[in-house]
Amino acid sequence: MGAPAEADRGETSGIRTALAGLTTRGRSFLAAGIAAVICAYILGQADLRRVGLLLAVLPLLCAAVLHRTRYRVAGSRRLSPARVPAGSEARVHLRMDNVSRLPTGLLMLQDRVPYVLGPRPRFVLDRVEPGGRREVSYRVRSDLRGRYPLGPLQLRLTDPFGMCELTRSFSTFDTLTVIPKVEPLPPIRLSGEAKGYGDGRQRSLALAGEDDVIPRGYRHGDDLRRVHWRSTARYGELMVRREEQPQRARCTVLLDTRGGAYEGAGPDSAFEWAVSGAASVLVHMLERGFSVRLLTDTGSSVPGEGAEGFAGSGQESAEAAGLMMDTLAVVDHSDGTGLSRAYDVLRGGNEGLLVAFLGDLDEEQATVAAKMRRRSGGAVAFVLDPDTWVREPADVPAAGDAHEERLRMLREAGWTAVSVPRGAGVAELWRQADRERTGAAALSGEAWR
């Protein structure tokens, strides 16, 4: 008895849903028909009763037929591209296939999108023949980073008289990732480049001494001059020395996400500039062949990142950039108040080049940041000037001594520290860092590398 009861409840629920889908026209016809029938009984007019029954039955019949209609349609969605920089547009392609043997009626297709991406798109599809296909598209745009769900796709069915509308939803979702803006950076000579690929290439042997060489089996085409005779005698087969392996230069990009280090919100805020700057440097260094790591003030890095960071070569470089952009797309302010966790991670080994994007620093945090320089081959810090980001330049007090003092502390510790005013471009400050480091090296008699 339980199963029939469930079926009865499901049928009743379906009927209620169909009646709830009556349009204004359908409700008006139903109300007019009921009123006509009542008046016909009162006045004893049989013809009026027939008209009233027709008016009342028509919307109910349309609702019943529409409820029983089982269109077999397949819907799909495709994003182009799936990752889009903030402020740029992406196109969403929708496709509907009629997989039944019967044609469809008038269909209204709509997709659910978050309000930050724009208005909800709606399309009216005329009759779709059996096996037919309809394709439509719309554009979305957001000035804010993030991951935005698209869907579910909804199909609104209507009868030819416009008496009833029913909505049926697909179950699939897609996600649009809005990543930070990436600004192309000019090539400059960077500290630690001698360990990477390019003019300053170095190679490291497998181990230091002749007796410590780790050999491998001989392969066809190997140079016989590389045969390691001692290992050959030991193993009873030809063994050759391993080829020297290039050692990648390493670069760590530190992003300060402390909530108290930034003021303001929105796409033009200081924090968004720092995120965009970090993204630009990450992509630039990957393209130059560096092993790149993203680090925040909380000590966390990109999920799936190895101990040496992401390697920048070919397809791996594109995948690494995608993972980092996905992380930066959703990065938000942390609850931390200091940089000590990041310092604990950095002091674990030589990080190569260190590029930091820092918010407002007090004396204590400036001291912590200064100590990070000890474990890097070179260090560049972009420190946001809090005064220019919260007030107009004309209103900035002449005594911005605190900010200048923090920059001086970093420079004395060996950083190339650059102040970031409001409206400055990442590429412009990247060149400025190069000029300041080159000038400091010339004064001290040192080279940039």
Side-chain angles (χ1 to χ4, degrees):
M1 296 296 292
E6 291 293 335
D8 292 343
R9 284 197 294 268
E11 186 68 21
T12 302
S13 176
I15 294 174
R16 291 177 179 174
T17 302
L19 293 177
L22 290 175
T23 62
T24 302
R25 179 184 299 177
R27 295 175 187 273
S28 299
F29 267 66
L30 182 60
I34 293 175
V37 170
I38 294 175
C39 292
Y41 275 108
I42 295 175
L43 300 176
Q45 295 292 327
D47 293 338
L48 182 60
R49 183 169 62 250
R50 296 189 188 97
V51 173
L53 288 174
L54 177 62
L55 293 176
V57 169
L58 182 60
L60 297 178
L61 183 61
C62 290
V65 172
L66 195 61
H67 172 65
R68 291 293 183 179
T69 301
R70 293 293 183 266
Y71 292 140
R72 295 180 57 196
V73 293
S76 62
R77 182 190 300 103
R78 179 172 58 87
L79 305 182
S80 177
R83 293 189 186 99
V84 60
S88 300
E89 290 185 343
R91 184 168 289 275
V92 184
H93 301 269
L94 303 179
R95 171 177 160 179
M96 298 297 300
D97 294 277
N98 183 11
V99 296
S100 68
R101 298 180 180 180
L102 298 175
T104 69
L106 190 66
L107 303 177
M108 178 178 288
L109 188 66
Q110 66 178 10
D111 207 4
R112 299 189 64 179
V113 300
Y115 72 94
V116 296
L117 297 183
R120 178 174 299 183
R122 292 183 174 89
F123 305 93
V124 176
L125 304 181
D126 204 351
R127 177 181 178 274
V128 182
E129 65 279 4
R133 175 190 303 170
R134 296 291 185 271
E135 295 184 2
V136 293
S137 65
Y138 64 93
R139 294 178 296 179
V140 291
R141 179 181 183 275
S142 174
D143 293 326
L144 299 175
R145 298 175 295 109
R147 293 172 61 86
Y148 300 101
L150 300 178
L153 196 61
Q154 294 180 330
L155 197 63
R156 298 181 64 183
L157 311 178
T158 183
D159 65 278
F161 301 103
M163 298 289 181
C164 184
E165 289 183 352
L166 294 181
T167 301
R168 293 174 181 171
S169 298
F170 294 86
S171 58
T172 56
F173 289 81
D174 286 284
T175 301
L176 175 68
T177 303
V178 181
I179 62 176
K181 294 179 181 178
V182 176
E183 187 173 341
L185 302 182
I188 60 176
R189 297 187 64 81
L190 301 167
S191 176
E193 190 177 19
K195 298 179 183 178
Y197 299 118
D199 297 336
R201 178 180 300 184
Q202 284 185 346
R203 295 180 179 270
S204 59
L205 292 172
L207 287 175
E210 173 72 14
D211 295 335
D212 296 327
V213 172
I214 300 178
R216 64 167 174 82
Y218 176 83
R219 299 171 185 168
H220 179 71
D222 284 339
D223 191 345
L224 291 178
R225 289 175 295 180
R226 291 176 43 235
V227 173
H228 192 255
W229 297 109
R230 184 171 299 180
S231 298
T232 299
R234 180 184 304 172
Y235 294 104
E237 60 176 323
L238 277 178
M239 306 292 289
V240 297
R241 298 180 181 88
R242 292 182 183 272
E243 294 180 354
E244 298 174 350
Q245 299 296 325
Q247 181 180 1
R248 289 186 181 277
R250 299 176 62 186
C251 175
T252 297
V253 177
L254 172 62
L255 176 62
D256 181 8
T257 64
R258 295 172 298 136
Y262 302 91
E263 293 190 29
D268 297 326
S269 64
F271 182 65
E272 293 302 318
W273 188 97
V275 174
S276 178
S280 302
V281 173
L282 286 169
V283 172
H284 178 73
M285 302 308 288
L286 276 172
E287 291 175 348
R288 297 195 60 180
F290 278 65
S291 291
V292 180
R293 179 170 68 163
L294 172 64
L295 184 67
T296 67
D297 58 289
T298 62
S300 60
S301 56
V302 179
E305 184 182 88
E308 299 294 324
F310 288 107
S313 61
Q315 183 64 26
E316 294 181 358
S317 175
E319 293 176 357
L323 287 174
M324 291 185 175
M325 292 303 104
D326 288 346
T327 300
L328 289 176
V330 296
V331 70
D332 202 354
H333 291 296
S334 68
D335 297 330
T337 58
L339 302 172
S340 57
R341 292 183 182 178
Y343 172 70
D344 292 338
V345 174
L346 290 173
R347 68 179 180 179
N350 190 344
E351 300 300 324
L353 176 66
L354 175 60
V355 181
F357 290 85
L358 305 174
D360 190 15
L361 298 174
D362 56 23
E363 184 175 358
E364 178 183 358
Q365 300 312 316
T367 302
V368 175
K371 292 190 294 184
M372 295 179 184
R373 171 64 178 84
R374 302 173 186 172
R375 301 303 300 175
S376 63
V380 181
F382 297 95
V383 187
L384 279 80
D385 185 352
D387 288 328
T388 61
W389 284 93
V390 298
R391 287 184 289 270
E392 294 297 328
D395 299 331
V396 176
D401 298 336
H403 178 65
E404 292 299 329
E405 177 63 20
R406 308 298 180 252
L407 294 177
R408 185 189 62 80
M409 292 176 61
L410 294 177
R411 288 165 182 159
E412 289 180 351
W415 286 83
T416 300
V418 179
S419 177
V420 180
R422 186 181 185 89
V426 182
E428 173 190 351
L429 296 179
W430 189 248
R431 294 189 187 93
Q432 180 181 340
D434 181 29
R435 292 192 299 268
E436 291 189 8
R437 180 63 180 87
T438 303
L443 291 176
S444 59
E446 298 177 354
W448 173 243
R449 25 185 298 188

